[in-house]
């Protein structure tokens, strides 16, 4: 339960960060294409992959 | 919330006309009633043209009312792009009556005479700066200084707030955080309750993602139908469902489509044309729907534009 709450808290922080980053990008690049969303998704996937790799291959403690 | 204005004017042919105009900013449209209107309507009904709006909208004539709808989206290559927040400018649109002798916009109605004399000039709810008589600047070559002055409304959608910190933006971010907390919490719970088996597809993740995408689409449609509740999308869409927010242009276009499809008056239109006009290097899409006019209204967009 505590783990779920911690995950939720970090999820909230991440959602806010994602929202702000999207806002930051879309206010500078005003096109029809959702560039901010693309950047967030691509960078998020990259970070998630790196993190998963660290946990799997370098012994960082998983949950 | 609408601006109502009336004007009388003498057209180029010497006839006196009276026009009642109602502009509905929320519906991005308006109505014009021609009291003396048959000849105006017959001559050339009208063309709606957004001053800074490069997407053309629907016009259709029904029962001597001219209905029109504007895209709230402007081209990014507009000369004034750098000086004003792009999305504010697009809220200003106007409609030309007949030969361009009167116009109605979001900010009210001004009477303007193309080739004759104006018998009366009255403005209501007009915030736009009066234009110098006889001076006609092209709508796309307008410098930011000489452009129409609109009072900047604080937009309902927190995504459209001007850059920088503000209280509303802080509230929106907080809502996103709350939604993100509960969304991640629920997702974590589902993943724990339905653990993925090694070598098999992680079904919990799959179901969560697909249902989240479905719910996000459903949410957008519901939010369009609902009365404006600006913080629901940050809370439920960006936060809870955790998906990238849809960009505003696509959403407003979607809502325009929804409105156009559901409007009963739209079904009375008999002809629909799609034409592209290339002017000043800006590709503009003209979509004009005129049920009663035989003459092409696109020409008026050229001649009636100031």
């Amino acid at each position: 339960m505590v783990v779920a709450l911690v995950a939720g808290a970090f999820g909230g922080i991440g959602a806010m960060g994602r929202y702000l980053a999207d806002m930051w990008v879309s206010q500078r690049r005003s096109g029809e294409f959702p560039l901010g969303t693309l950047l967030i998704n691509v960078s998020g996937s990259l970070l998630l992959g790196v993190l998963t790799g660290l946990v799997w291959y370098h012994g960082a403690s998983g949950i | 919330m609408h601006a109502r204005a009336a004007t009388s004017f003498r057209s180029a042919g010497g006839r006196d006309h009276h026009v009642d105009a109602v502009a509905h900013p929320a519906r991005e449209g308006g109505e014009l009633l021609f009291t003396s209107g048959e000849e105006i309507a017959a001559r050339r009904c009208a063309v709606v043209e957004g001053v800074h709006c490069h997407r053309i909208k629907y016009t259709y004539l029904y029962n001597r009312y001219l209905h029109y709808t504007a895209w709230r989206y402007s081209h990014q290559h507009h000369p004034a792009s750098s000086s004003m927040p792009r999305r504010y400018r697009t809220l200003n649109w106007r409609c030309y009556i007949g030969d361009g002798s009167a116009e109605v916009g979001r900010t009210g109605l001004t009477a303007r005479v193309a080739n004759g004399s104006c018998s009366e000039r009255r403005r209501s709810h007009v915030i736009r700066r009066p234009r110098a008589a006889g001076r006609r600047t092209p709508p796309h070559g307008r410098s930011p200084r000489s452009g129409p002055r609109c009072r900047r409304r604080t937009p309902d959608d927190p995504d459209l707030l001007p850059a920088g910190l503000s209280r509303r933006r802080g509230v929106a971010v907080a809502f996103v955080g709350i939604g993100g907390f509960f969304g991640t919490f629920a997702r974590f719970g589902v993943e724990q309750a339905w653990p993925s088996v090694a070598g098999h597809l992680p079904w919990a993740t799959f179901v969560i993602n697909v249902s989240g995408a479905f719910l996000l689409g459903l949410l957008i449609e519901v939010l369009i139908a609902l009365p404006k509740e600006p913080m629901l999308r940050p809370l439920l869409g960006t936060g809870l469902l955790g998906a990238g927010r849809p960009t505003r242009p696509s959403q407003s276009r979607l809502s325009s489509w929804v409105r156009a499809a559901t409007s009963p008056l739209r079904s009375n239109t008999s002809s629909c044309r799609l034409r592209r006009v290339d002017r000043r290097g800006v590709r503009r899409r003209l979509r004009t729907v005129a049920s009663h006019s035989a003459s092409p209204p696109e020409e008026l967009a050229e001649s009636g534009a100031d």
Side-chain angles (χ1 to χ4, degrees):
Chain A
M1 188 65 190
V2 177
V3 176
L5 285 176
V6 170
F10 275 98
I13 293 168
M16 286 192 284
R18 194 174 53 210
Y19 183 69
L20 287 174
D22 189 1
M23 199 76 63
W24 190 82
V25 171
S26 62
Q27 276 172 358
R28 276 151 187 80
R29 305 284 301 182
S30 57
E32 205 167 339
F33 187 78
L35 190 71
T37 308
L38 178 80
L39 285 178
I40 286 158
N41 286 343
V42 169
S43 61
S45 304
L46 177 75
L47 288 177
L48 189 65
V50 168
L51 193 67
T52 310
L54 280 179
V55 171
W56 278 3
Y57 296 106
H58 294 277
S61 67
I63 293 170
Chain B
M1 274 255 316
H2 58 260
R4 184 179 286 274
T7 187
S8 302
F9 62 94
R10 183 167 291 148
S11 66
R15 291 178 184 274
D16 285 321
H17 302 287
H18 187 79
V19 182
D20 283 305
V22 183
H24 300 281
R27 293 199 333 228
E28 303 172 31
E31 296 136 17
L32 305 176
L33 173 62
F34 300 87
T35 318
S36 58
E38 298 292 339
E39 53 270 62
I40 296 184
R43 202 164 62 196
R44 222 178 257 176
C45 68
V47 159
V48 177
E49 159 138 322
V51 177
H52 293 143
C53 198
H54 295 256
R55 293 292 175 97
I56 297 303
K57 40 253 117 193
Y58 302 109
T59 65
Y60 51 97
L61 195 65
Y62 177 71
N63 200 13
R64 289 197 297 165
Y65 277 81
L66 182 84
H67 299 261
Y68 53 99
T69 307
W71 297 124
R72 294 168 62 175
Y73 175 70
S74 77
H75 202 278
Q76 68 184 103
H77 298 308
H78 190 274
S81 297
S82 54
S83 59
M84 285 173 73
R86 187 173 67 98
R87 284 155 174 159
Y88 285 107
R89 300 189 323 255
T90 62
L91 299 179
N92 198 9
W93 35 257
R94 67 179 68 174
C95 168
Y96 297 98
I97 307 166
D99 53 358
S101 46
E103 57 181 83
V104 65
R106 182 176 179 274
T107 51
L109 183 135
T110 60
R112 199 162 56 82
V113 170
N115 295 314
S117 62
C118 183
S119 58
E120 189 182 354
R121 183 183 180 114
R122 199 193 308 164
R123 292 173 158 216
S124 73
H125 304 284
V126 169
I127 311 159
R128 191 185 302 148
R129 193 175 59 176
R131 220 170 300 141
R135 184 163 152 255
R136 309 187 76 182
T137 43
H140 308 296
R142 214 184 269 282
S143 72
R145 257 173 205 282
S146 67
R149 299 293 161 130
C150 313
R151 186 171 58 196
R152 286 186 185 176
R153 288 178 65 241
T154 306
D156 292 327
D157 194 329
D159 293 355
L160 302 184
L161 287 172
L165 292 173
S166 65
R167 188 173 174 174
R168 276 176 61 81
R169 169 147 297 152
V171 172
V173 172
F175 271 110
V176 167
I178 294 168
F181 173 80
F182 285 106
T184 314
F185 187 74
R187 186 183 187 116
F188 191 83
V190 173
E191 302 249 12
Q192 291 293 306
W194 189 3
S196 60
V197 184
H200 287 80
L201 195 70
W203 282 107
T205 310
F206 179 78
V207 167
I208 287 167
N209 285 348
V210 170
S211 63
F214 174 76
L215 287 175
L216 187 68
L218 194 70
L219 176 75
I220 296 302
E221 290 292 326
V222 169
L223 288 183
I224 288 169
L226 280 178
K228 276 193 172 169
E229 193 56 57
M231 288 303 165
L232 268 184
R233 196 155 61 94
L235 177 69
L236 298 178
T238 317
L240 188 72
L241 297 172
R245 67 194 177 84
T247 55
R248 181 67 191 180
S250 65
Q251 200 204 356
S252 69
R253 187 178 317 128
L254 187 62
S255 60
S256 297
W257 278 340
V258 170
R259 266 198 300 275
T262 52
S263 168
L265 294 168
R266 281 271 300 158
S267 59
N268 291 318
T269 58
S270 60
S271 68
C272 174
R273 260 171 302 178
L274 189 68
R275 182 180 289 194
R276 286 189 171 179
V277 175
D278 201 347
R279 192 196 331 179
R280 285 174 181 262
V282 178
R283 276 199 95 72
R284 306 171 62 236
R285 177 173 287 182
L286 272 167
R287 169 174 281 197
T288 315
V289 180
S291 59
H292 289 68
S293 79
S295 57
E298 284 91 344
E299 294 168 18
L300 203 62
E302 308 290 327
S303 61
D306 60 338

